[in-house]
Amino acid sequence: MKKVFGAVLATAALALAVSCTTVSPRTSDAGASANAKRGEATGGFLFGILPVTSADYSISTAAANGGITKIATVDLKTYSLLGIWVTKTTIVTGE
């Protein structure tokens, strides 16, 4: 039983060590203020392709969630846990 518990604990530690989050810029508009409002939209995927939660992480949904009509910046944040569970979040700032 101790060996099984040790293996499970080691696997969990490895999964946490291998998971990663990246944020990459997509676009920006120098004419809009980036500090006024922020909106996010997130989608979750099993194995990176099968949508599990709402897969609408579009720019328009993120802007609507933040009450933004004039977009300043758009970033895409991707989190992956061993490629098994992947979430993608679109982050929009603007006015």
Side-chain angles (χ1 to χ4, degrees):
M1 187 65 176
K2 287 183 179 182
K3 288 183 180 182
V4 172
F5 179 73
V8 169
L9 188 60
T11 302
L14 179 64
L16 290 174
V18 176
S19 66
C20 69
T21 301
T22 59
V23 178
S24 58
R26 293 298 175 199
T27 186
S28 67
D29 177 10
S33 172
N35 297 324
K37 296 179 184 176
R38 176 185 169 109
E40 295 185 5
T42 302
F45 301 89
L46 190 61
F47 302 113
I49 55 171
L50 301 170
V52 175
T53 63
S54 172
D56 185 8
Y57 61 99
S58 65
I59 294 171
S60 59
T61 301
N65 289 345
I68 298 170
T69 56
K70 188 174 183 183
I71 296 173
T73 64
V74 177
D75 295 325
L76 178 63
K77 178 180 172 183
T78 304
Y79 170 78
S80 176
L81 180 63
L82 297 174
I84 297 169
W85 177 251
V86 177
T87 59
K88 294 187 179 194
T89 303
T90 301
I91 305 164
V92 176
T93 60
E95 300 173 2

